[in-house]
Amino acid sequence: MSTRRPQLQAGYVLHHRPYRDTSLVVDVFTRTAGRLALVARGARRPRASQRSLLQPFRPLLLSWRLGGGEMGTLTAVEADGYPPGLSGDALMSGFYLNELVLRLLGRHDPNEAIFDLYAETLAALPAGPTAPVLRRFEKLLLDGLGYALPVHETGMDGQTLDPDSRYRFDPESGAWPLAGSEGRGYSGRTLLALARANYDEPSVQPEMRRLLAEALQPHLGGKPLQTARVMRDLTRRGLRQTRSEPSANDSDDKGDPS
Amino acid sequence: MIFSRHLQSLIDALRALPGVGPRSAQRMAFHILERDREGGQDLVRALTAALDNVSQCGQCRMLSDEPLCGVCRSDRRDAGLICVVESPADVMAIEQATDYSGRYFVLMGHLSPLDGIGPEELGLELLEQRLASGEVRELILATNPTVEGEATASYLMDLARSCQVRASRIAHGVPIGGELEYVDGGTLSHAFQGRLEIK
């Protein structure tokens, strides 16, 4: 029965919601068991000690018990290091990461590579501009889910990509020279930056964001990302100082730094 | 049906209350019908009156009988101070425990991007208008010390800054009568970061 009662596994809380009168349902993302929903009994009681630990972004060690149903029961939780100290934009970006993981990873489907990517992305968020960190996460998340983008330094016509030419990017096959009627496409510079895993170049940020948003879109099941909408609302009100919002569902490049 | 139909629907209705399961609902229903019919009548009157008359204050979103709540109407409350809280219960708690004499703004929740709760749902437009009016000197942020509460506070700080209003945050720390040893790590580290010079 040991597999039904995992002990002190590394994990994060992605989201929580009230359950019954005094409990919480926490959506957790663990390294060894993937994403799962656990009931934290009594976690909403006034003096519950779990309450302060069961916060998003904090590295935790979780123990739980799986019953017959969809949800397991959280049996113990311990801190596994300090919270990453996210605030402002980095904090919003953290919510965005959580939503991507919630929406794109199935329950009970462990993916250690994505878990490690998630952990290192969270740790990288407070350090500087969030946009390159988010683009890297989106790109590697697609890789880890088995939807790796065919980005190479050569186009489908066999020619090396020209930074100053425009291309159409097909997430299935790759980059094709842009014909006149095919919309705005992407610059060779953007595609090359993505192929070289160079996420920091400011001039390609808006296009890279749009490209990754379009690549994520089909996997999100048609529903728009809530975090992206909330962040747009905040941006519209001028409540965000640096504008480096997440990409998915946001193919509009207006108001972006270039 | 073995039981009275009305009794059953009363039991079902009582279960709408938080913390009331089938057992307690049944106990309450029997109590009202057997022992305290007058109390039951009072309850009906109070409930109807409250549902008909209580709505949100047009200025601070606190629950109120009037279009403007007592705190917003009172000229003894300092209009230059606004304390932002997440729920009406927080207003009650502050009123009972402190001598705060300013006004409030009740968000009725917190920023929760994953649930799609953004600035609109929290009525931040209303708050923005109050800040922009120039009457407010200080915005006191008393959202909960959760990740979502912090996210909310951080955007309220930006809002205050953009309206040139001073923003402050209530302190987080060790509870009175508590023992350091048993205080959770997060609170303790906040308490250390927010330590005050003794004057």
Side-chain angles (χ1 to χ4, degrees):
Chain A
M1 289 301 280
S2 64
T3 53
R4 310 285 292 165
R5 291 171 172 257
Q7 296 293 318
L8 300 176
Q9 301 294 312
Y12 290 90
V13 170
L14 295 173
H15 194 42
H16 51 80
R17 60 173 193 274
Y19 180 67
R20 302 233 169 116
D21 291 322
T22 56
S23 302
L24 278 178
V25 171
V26 283
D27 244 300
V28 299
F29 183 32
T30 63
R31 189 162 198 277
T32 51
R35 194 165 79 67
L36 47 148
L38 299 176
V39 178
R41 291 200 195 286
R44 274 162 63 228
R45 286 184 201 282
R47 285 177 211 293
S49 58
Q50 290 180 338
R51 198 178 174 141
S52 67
L53 285 175
L54 289 174
Q55 295 284 323
F57 316 125
R58 172 149 212 179
L60 298 172
L61 294 173
L62 302 157
S63 307
W64 66 92
R65 187 176 67 227
L66 289 179
E70 170 89 352
M71 289 192 286
T73 305
L74 185 75
T75 51
V77 54
E78 282 179 31
D80 185 22
Y82 296 101
L86 302 177
S87 60
D89 248 8
L91 182 53
M92 274 296 156
S93 305
F95 286 123
Y96 172 70
L97 296 187
N98 284 6
E99 190 171 21
L100 282 183
V101 172
L102 275 170
R103 295 281 292 274
L104 293 170
L105 268 74
R107 281 191 182 161
H108 306 288
D109 183 14
N111 190 323
E112 296 189 356
I114 293 182
F115 182 86
D116 295 340
L117 171 68
Y118 174 82
E120 74 191 42
T121 305
L122 271 190
L125 276 177
T130 53
V133 181
L134 292 179
R135 298 300 85 82
R136 176 174 178 274
F137 181 80
E138 290 165 343
K139 164 74 167 56
L140 297 179
L141 179 65
L142 284 165
D143 289 354
L145 289 168
Y147 307 123
L149 296 175
V151 280
H152 311 289
E153 298 198 14
T154 43
M156 294 311 290
D157 56 355
Q159 305 283 317
T160 307
L161 296 183
D162 171 11
D164 296 318
S165 296
R166 308 289 299 175
Y167 295 87
R168 170 172 72 88
F169 183 75
D170 174 23
E172 302 279 313
S173 58
W176 301 81
L178 190 72
S181 60
E182 287 177 330
R184 46 188 171 162
Y186 302 98
S187 72
R189 197 179 309 280
T190 303
L191 295 166
L192 283 168
L194 204 55
R196 293 170 186 158
N198 175 10
Y199 305 97
D200 295 306
E201 173 65 44
S203 69
V204 302
Q205 281 300 326
E207 276 197 3
M208 201 183 272
R209 193 177 94 197
R210 179 159 60 88
L211 189 150
L212 286 163
E214 281 176 16
L216 283 167
Q217 191 69 62
H219 309 297
L220 291 170
K223 267 201 329 196
L225 287 170
Q226 301 279 16
T227 41
R229 184 186 67 77
V230 169
M231 289 170 82
R232 272 200 307 279
D233 279 1
L234 290 167
T235 310
R236 209 177 48 230
R237 285 157 188 274
L239 292 184
R240 303 179 65 224
Q241 293 147 335
T242 45
R243 301 186 170 200
S244 50
E245 60 194 89
S247 69
N249 289 301
D250 193 8
S251 48
D252 192 353
D253 288 337
K254 269 182 287 178
D256 240 310
S258 46
Chain B
M1 170 144 311
I2 308 172
F3 296 125
S4 142
R5 197 155 45 84
H6 296 296
L7 173 61
Q8 190 58 48
S9 63
L10 175 60
I11 293 174
D12 292 344
L14 284 166
R15 292 188 55 192
L17 298 169
V20 178
R23 277 296 292 178
S24 350
Q26 193 179 315
R27 239 179 44 233
M28 290 176 185
F30 283 136
H31 177 83
I32 288 172
L33 294 171
E34 288 173 30
R35 300 212 181 88
D36 197 1
R37 292 204 166 222
E38 205 173 310
Q41 294 291 358
D42 289 347
L43 184 63
V44 170
R45 277 191 294 274
L47 201 56
T48 316
L51 288 173
D52 288 346
N53 296 308
V54 179
S55 59
Q56 281 182 10
C57 165
Q59 197 174 311
C60 72
R61 312 221 308 164
M62 180 64 183
L63 297 175
S64 160
D65 292 352
E66 317 279 333
L68 275 187
C69 74
V71 173
C72 290
R73 276 198 320 262
S74 163
D75 45 3
R76 268 187 284 172
R77 308 290 302 218
D78 186 348
L81 290 174
I82 296 182
C83 175
V84 186
V85 296
E86 290 185 15
S87 75
D90 298 338
V91 173
M92 298 272 203
I94 293 174
E95 284 294 294
Q96 283 158 11
T98 69
D99 58 355
Y100 176 64
S101 64
R103 293 186 172 160
Y104 292 95
F105 188 82
V106 186
L107 298 168
M108 297 285 176
H110 48 230
L111 216 54
S112 181
L114 270 81
D115 299 310
I117 297 178
E120 240 156 80
E121 287 77 8
L122 300 179
L124 291 194
E125 203 151 311
L126 201 59
L127 181 62
E128 206 174 337
Q129 286 167 12
R130 282 176 75 184
L131 293 179
S133 71
E135 204 183 14
V136 183
R137 297 188 313 273
E138 182 177 350
L139 188 71
I140 302 167
L141 303 173
T143 52
N144 291 333
T146 58
V147 166
E148 288 87 353
E150 291 299 325
T152 314
S154 119
Y155 287 102
L156 292 173
M157 266 179 246
D158 287 353
L159 186 66
R161 199 174 297 130
S162 71
C163 299
Q164 272 127 41
V165 172
R166 200 163 83 92
S168 61
R169 181 92 176 83
I170 59 164
H172 310 299
V174 181
I176 291 173
E179 286 176 46
L180 232 48
E181 187 186 348
Y182 299 110
V183 170
D184 77 278
T187 308
L188 202 53
S189 88
H190 261 298
F192 254 83
Q193 280 162 23
R195 65 187 183 275
L196 292 177
E197 197 184 322
I198 298 169
K199 283 174 192 148

